[in-house]
Amino acid sequence: MKRTEVYILAGFLGSGKTTLLKRLLEDERDSGRKVAVMMNELGNVSIDSDEVGDDVALKELLGGCICCTMSGQVEAQLQGLLQLEKPDAIYIETTGAAHPVEVLDSVLSPLFANMLHVKGIISTVDGRRWLDKGAMGPQLQQLLIEQVRHADYLIVNKAGDLSDREQADVSISLQGLNPHAKCVLTNFSKVPLRDLRGLSHAGEKENSHVTRLQTKDLGLSSFVHTFKNPVKRERFDEFLRGMPDTVYRIKGYVKFEGSSYPDLFQFSYGMPSYIKEDMNMPLNIVMIGENIDWGKIAGQLRSLEAGFASYEKGIEP
């Protein structure tokens, strides 16, 4: 099944995200592909939506941040785009206050995660602001660092305003935080777009697939597993207790033995929560983590299902 590509454009306020989006959309028009845009603004009025042409399907998320207060709307808007527009690619321009991990969590709904191919997180950085970030509050400094640390591709804008020494300092600092992402110093987000098109790859094994967001098998990545059978609740809880600390999010639908319908399950910061559903839902779970051996996780999940199948047959797993 062909999956829709998703590009997440992150970066602090005024760092060049909209300029980058315009260049990407022009390239898509030239290639003849069908694309859509989701644009998030903290205010109730969209400032940048006029930059998107009438030929591009646009969904605006206003009055909040995509990664916290608006995560439910993100799911609804994405589902609408996938069903009605069926685009080849979706570009998501986040607010300057968005945390990349939280955005990825909002985008990967278990309802349609296997329909998306997240190509990567592209973070734009204002070179001067990065050098002067010490003047910002600690929370904003940490946000800038997280936007760099979890990126797959780093675009340092306004490089022409920096001396050769300052450009070197920026490059060394960013690559020290994120050695796996390519870092390009430029002006007006002028980067080779072929670099962005080839950001990630996906590997598929049986009923699971992994989207590795780094160009190497390192860093932030997402994993989707589809259950074929119910699982035993106590064994699932045991599986969760063994999760590495760098598994940041898990969400999806899990059917437990003896239940007619699945539970909506979420796991964050080591804490699980369950909500009983009153209808059948696709038994997908989505996991997001950093430096995780997803092959090992997939094996553990298959073992859970096999254990329940053996239990039903009267065989001790």
Side-chain angles (χ1 to χ4, degrees), residues 12-23:
F12 200 66
L13 301 164
S15 59
K17 294 189 299 295
T18 303
T19 302
L20 174 63
L21 177 63
K22 288 175 63 178
R23 294 196 65 230

Side-chain angles (χ1 to χ4, degrees), residues 25-256:
L25 293 180
E26 288 170 5
D27 183 65
E28 293 284 18
R29 289 187 185 98
D30 291 343
S31 67
R33 295 208 309 169
K34 185 175 185 180
V35 299
V37 170
M38 291 181 64
M39 189 169 285
N40 184 206
E41 297 275 6
L42 286 173
N44 291 318
V45 176
S46 177
I47 304 300
D48 297 321
S49 58
D50 290 343
E51 304 292 349
V52 178
D54 294 336
D55 57 331
V56 176
L58 172 67
K59 296 290 185 182
E60 295 176 285
L61 299 164
L62 306 177
C65 185
I66 193 173
C67 63
C68 41
T69 59
M70 311 197 75
S71 58
Q73 291 186 42
V74 174
E75 181 176 305
Q77 299 281 36
L78 271 174
Q79 193 164 21
L81 286 174
L82 290 170
Q83 291 179 349
L84 299 176
E85 302 293 337
K86 297 179 174 58
D88 296 305
I90 298 174
Y91 292 90
I92 300 175
E93 182 181 342
T94 67
T95 71
H99 188 297
V101 174
E102 307 287 350
V103 173
L104 190 61
D105 183 48
S106 298
V107 168
L108 289 176
S109 166
L111 291 174
F112 48 73
N114 54 0
M115 299 170 64
L116 301 176
H117 178 192
V118 180
K119 294 285 283 183
I121 297 170
I122 305 162
S123 286
T124 55
V125 179
D126 181 318
R128 175 58 60 192
R129 185 186 294 277
W130 180 261
L131 290 175
D132 297 339
K133 66 181 181 299
M136 305 171 72
Q139 289 183 320
L140 287 180
Q141 287 188 52
Q142 189 59 39
L143 175 62
L144 259 67
I145 289 170
E146 293 298 308
Q147 289 174 342
V148 168
R149 193 166 73 87
H150 292 298
D152 306 293
Y153 196 96
L154 290 166
I155 299 173
V156 182
N157 277 313
K158 305 179 186 178
D161 297 337
L162 306 177
S163 67
D164 291 346
R165 175 60 185 271
E166 288 173 328
Q167 290 184 17
D169 288 345
V170 170
S171 295
I172 292 169
S173 175
L174 296 181
Q175 296 282 219
L177 280 170
N178 186 348
H180 310 298
K182 185 170 184 178
C183 180
V184 178
L185 275 71
T186 186
N187 296 289
F188 305 107
S189 296
K190 292 181 179 178
V191 296
L193 297 185
R194 63 180 178 275
D195 286 356
L196 307 184
R197 303 297 181 214
L199 265 179
S200 66
H201 66 276
E204 298 191 5
K205 292 185 179 181
E206 297 184 18
N207 63 330
S208 304
H209 72 260
V210 178
T211 298
R212 305 189 193 280
L213 298 178
Q214 300 287 357
T215 51
K216 298 181 179 179
D217 292 349
L218 296 169
L220 189 66
S221 56
S222 63
F223 167 74
V224 180
H225 178 81
T226 302
F227 286 106
K228 295 179 179 178
N229 298 301
V231 298
K232 298 179 71 172
R233 174 67 178 267
E234 57 268 28
R235 293 199 65 201
F236 189 72
D237 288 338
E238 182 181 345
F239 161 75
L240 293 177
R241 287 193 292 270
M243 283 294 95
D245 292 340
T246 51
V247 172
Y248 301 130
R249 296 284 191 277
I250 312 176
K251 61 182 177 182
Y253 297 97
V254 182
K255 183 178 283 188
F256 295 114

